[in-house]
């Protein structure tokens, strides 16, 4: 039987409807990125956990691995907040932290772990890593939630809605920036050279 990768990718894409902004701090340097691989990792209401999957290509991956802390932010879809959500998405998703500092462009406060909290997000959970799983091109981090807040009531931004509102030139730049990340992931998974 041959794997229908188109069917697999369509089925799996339906499980990742919400873009999340991930921030962290390590050695006094704050950084962040956008991810579609995040979620809840506990059924115990009094002991919540969060999970994120970060590709090893990203500086934020290395920083979470070393610091053991991360903040997962949901973005708002409300009319009076969506422009701020898109600003977060474009700032953290538009370039690599290896190319320079990104967080200072956004409104923040310091969380209980020292990591930056994005004040224009819908909500956040702040976590300390309790376990991780190396999966070749990525690491899956599970964190015990140590802080949380709803910053803006209302709906959360879905990736399809966000993508439809982003400027075309930004999408083209994102696609170009994504190529080396994808090549790095393939090299790690399949052992090909980058």
């Amino acid at each position: 039987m041959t794997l229908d990768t188109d069917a697999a990718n369509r089925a799996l894409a339906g499980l990742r409807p919400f873009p999340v902004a991930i921030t962290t701090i390590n050695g006094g340097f704050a950084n962040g990125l956008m991810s579609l691989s995040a979620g809840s990792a506990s059924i115990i209401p009094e002991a919540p956990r969060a999970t994120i999957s970060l590709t090893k290509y990203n500086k934020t991956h290395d920083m979470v691995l070393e610091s053991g802390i991360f903040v997962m932010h949901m973005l708002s879809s409300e009319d009076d907040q969506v422009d701020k959500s898109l600003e977060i998405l474009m700032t953290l998703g538009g370039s690599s932290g290896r190319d320079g500092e990104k967080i200072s462009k956004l409104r923040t406060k310091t969380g209980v772990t020292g990591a930056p909290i994005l004040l224009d997000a819908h909500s956040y959970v702040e976590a300390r890593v309790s376990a991780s799983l190396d999966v070749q091109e990525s690491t899956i981090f599970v964190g015990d939630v140590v802080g949380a807040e709803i910053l803006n009531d209302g709906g959360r931004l879905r990736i399809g809605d966000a993508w439809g509102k982003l400027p075309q030139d930004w999408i083209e730049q994102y696609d170009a920036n994504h190529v080396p990340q994808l090549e790095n992931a393939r090299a790690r998974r399949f052992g090909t050279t980058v």
Side-chain angles (χ1 to χ4, degrees), residues 8-152:
N9 288 323
R10 282 181 59 202
L12 293 171
L15 299 174
R16 304 179 335 172
F18 298 105
V20 295
I22 306 296
T23 58
T24 191
I25 192 164
N26 187 43
F29 181 77
N31 198 35
L33 55 68
M34 294 303 302
S35 177
L36 286 172
S37 299
S40 174
S42 177
I43 63 166
I44 304 170
E46 66 274 17
R49 284 185 165 160
T51 181
I52 58 173
S53 177
L54 302 178
T55 61
K56 292 179 181 176
Y57 179 81
N58 293 306
K59 182 175 184 71
T60 301
H61 168 276
D62 297 346
M63 293 175 67
V64 171
L65 192 63
E66 292 172 14
S67 71
I69 57 175
F70 66 87
V71 185
M72 179 194 335
H73 304 81
M74 300 299 293
L75 304 179
S76 176
S77 66
E78 296 302 305
D79 289 341
D80 63 339
Q81 294 292 319
V82 75
D83 287 343
K84 293 290 187 182
S85 294
L86 295 176
E87 179 184 358
I88 291 169
L89 192 154
M90 290 189 295
T91 300
L92 298 182
S95 63
S96 171
R98 296 186 196 286
D99 297 330
E101 199 280 328
K102 301 188 278 187
I103 297 292
S104 68
K105 299 171 188 168
L106 302 169
R107 290 186 338 116
T108 64
K109 70 177 181 178
T110 302
V112 297
T113 64
I117 305 297
L118 304 176
L119 294 174
D120 292 315
H122 172 278
S123 53
Y124 71 87
V125 294
E126 187 173 5
R128 293 190 190 280
V129 174
S130 57
S132 62
L133 175 64
D134 185 314
V135 291
Q136 296 165 311
E137 75 270 23
S138 301
T139 302
I140 299 167
F141 297 97
V142 176
D144 293 323
V145 174
V146 297
E149 188 176 0
I150 305 299
L151 298 167
N152 295 292

Side-chain angles (χ1 to χ4, degrees), residues 36 93-94 163 169-179 181:
L36 286 172
W163 214 252
D169 60 332
W170 185 90
I171 292 171
E172 290 168 5
Q173 184 62 48
Y174 170 85
D175 288 343
N177 291 344
H178 191 65
V179 170
Q181 181 177 0

